[in-house]
Amino acid sequence: MISHAHSHARIAVLDLDGTLAEGSLATPFVDSLIAGGVCEPAAGRAALAAIAGYHDGDAEDAGPGDAAAHAPTAAAFYAHFARALEGADRTDVERAAEAAWPAARKKILPFADELVRLLHAAGLRTVLISGSPYEIVRRAAAELGIGEAHGMRAEFRRGRCTGALTTTPALPGGKRAALRTATKGSPVDRRNSFAIGNSPSDAEVFEQVGLAVAFEPDPVLRGWAMDRDWITADRRNVLAVCQDLIATHPVLGATPETTGKTSRDTSRDSGPGVASRR
């Protein structure tokens, strides 16, 4: 349940791929699955091609009113990944994720640690919601000190993958569903909660919180951010933007740890609450 009550918990929902990390952390994981003989190689390579098609720029041709660059690409990745993993042993999948983690860790952007610390200092409960496989998402959350992780999950029965997926956060409705799971049984103060992400799927979370930052958004999310006065930021100014956003907020800025951390060198557009990209 999402609530406006100030007595309820305040959360910070963070995206992973393209936001806290460069590109997709699914890539080194699928590479590891293929290298270890854990998955069907042709389907694994098709899954990698689907990721590359989005992150290497095919989405740049999309206009602000066209979410087609994201959802079908995510659906294609999920379909290939599920086929690749069918029959795989759960223990082998976890070993592949562990083997992939050193390469995946290198993709985490330098500001991520400090951003998480800033959000914790503001009294926000952090939640990582990503379209990448849960096996790699939970490792990223642990690395960054994020309290909870939600990602794409494959179904396992008797220790082997059935070839079905039980959660698909990158598909329409997926991140909204993940947010419901994360807040089930613990009502949230929506107005004083925060989210950051880079793609159309993150808009589902932005619409559920009072403070949203579109980080280096793809063309679709960029257009929506302009229409809805969501703040935009990039890797050069995201910490300054978030520091300013929190320090000037009537509730979050009152947290002792955040007092005095306002960054006034953050430029803003004339529109209310919109930080310009540098």
Side-chain angles (χ1 to χ4, degrees), residues 76-272:
F77 166 68
Y78 285 161
H80 294 309
F81 183 85
R83 188 164 66 253
L85 215 58
E86 185 173 3
D89 181 83
R90 184 194 290 270
T91 301
D92 291 339
V93 172
E94 280 294 337
R95 285 174 179 160
E98 190 65 27
W101 181 241
R105 182 193 288 119
K106 293 177 182 178
K107 296 168 76 72
I108 294 177
L109 292 169
F111 69 82
D113 285 303
E114 189 172 347
L115 175 60
V116 173
R117 286 194 295 268
L118 173 68
L119 297 171
H120 286 161
L124 293 159
R125 174 169 70 90
T126 50
V127 180
L128 186 63
I129 300 180
S130 171
S132 274
Y134 175 74
E135 290 83 1
I136 210 77
V137 175
R138 70 177 176 83
R139 285 171 167 81
E143 177 80 14
L144 294 170
I146 296 173
E148 188 173 339
H150 296 265
M152 177 265 282
R153 285 182 180 265
E155 180 184 63
F156 288 86
R157 291 181 184 172
R158 297 184 178 89
R160 293 202 172 268
C161 181
T162 66
L165 304 179
T166 60
T167 61
T168 52
L171 295 184
K175 289 205 171 182
R176 189 181 300 112
L179 182 59
R180 283 197 300 268
T181 298
T183 58
K184 186 176 182 180
S186 55
V188 169
D189 176 3
R190 178 173 73 89
R191 182 173 297 153
N192 298 307
S193 289
F194 170 93
I196 184 169
N198 74 314
S199 72
S201 62
D202 297 303
E204 297 178 355
V205 179
F206 287 7
E207 291 167 349
Q208 299 296 312
V209 301
L211 304 170
V213 176
F215 176 82
E216 298 183 359
D218 74 2
V220 177
L221 184 60
R222 186 181 305 123
W224 292 349
M226 291 176 64
D227 291 342
R228 303 175 196 188
D229 284 340
W230 288 331
I231 293 171
T232 62
D234 60 32
R235 67 192 66 194
R236 297 170 297 174
N237 68 2
V238 63
L239 288 174
V241 167
C242 292
Q243 286 168 355
D244 189 66
L245 181 66
I246 289 171
T248 58
H249 190 273
V251 174
L252 302 181
T255 304
E257 291 88 344
T258 62
T259 304
K261 286 189 177 182
T262 304
S263 176
R264 295 301 178 188
D265 64 347
T266 301
S267 60
R268 293 182 179 271
D269 292 336
S270 57

Side-chain angles (χ1 to χ4, degrees), residues 37-86:
V38 178
C39 75
E40 199 284 315
R45 288 191 292 270
L48 291 173
I51 297 171
Y54 181 77
H55 287 282
D56 288 351
D58 286 359
E60 293 301 317
D61 294 331
D66 181 12
H70 184 265
T73 300
F77 166 68
Y78 285 161
H80 294 309
F81 183 85
R83 188 164 66 253
L85 215 58
E86 185 173 3

